[in-house]
Amino acid sequence: MAKKDEVETQEKSSGFDAVGFFKESKEELDKVVWPSRQQLVSESLAVLLMVTLSATLIYLVDNFFDWVAGKVF
């Protein structure tokens, strides 16, 4: 009898259960601690600032090596 129950469980779990999927997804999203608006804005600005600084640094280094290559070659 145990093997029959096991086979039935496997047959049920082999298909996609859309309702169960969305129910479990909602349960997981309820566990998420969402940031406040102030935290979201300040961290987004920090990311934008770091990306801008990194891009500027890469641009300057690239121009420096381009200038050096122009003088050497």
Side-chain angles (χ1 to χ4, degrees):
M1 187 72 174
K3 288 190 178 193
K4 185 178 179 185
D5 292 337
E6 208 173 292
V7 170
E8 287 177 6
T9 304
Q10 287 177 351
E11 288 176 359
K12 289 179 183 176
S13 66
S14 64
F16 177 71
D17 180 22
V19 174
F21 173 77
F22 286 111
K23 181 181 176 187
E24 291 175 15
S25 296
K26 184 183 180 320
E27 289 174 4
E28 290 299 319
L29 285 173
D30 288 340
K31 295 177 187 177
V32 174
V33 179
W34 299 100
S36 66
R37 180 177 295 272
Q38 180 183 1
Q39 186 179 13
L40 180 69
V41 169
S42 66
E43 291 180 8
S44 296
L45 288 175
V47 168
L48 289 173
L49 177 65
M50 290 306 298
V51 167
T52 303
L53 289 174
S54 298
T56 303
L57 180 62
I58 291 169
Y59 173 77
L60 292 173
V61 170
D62 182 54
N63 279 343
F64 172 73
F65 282 119
D66 187 42
W67 177 76
V68 169
K71 295 292 183 184
V72 172
F73 302 110

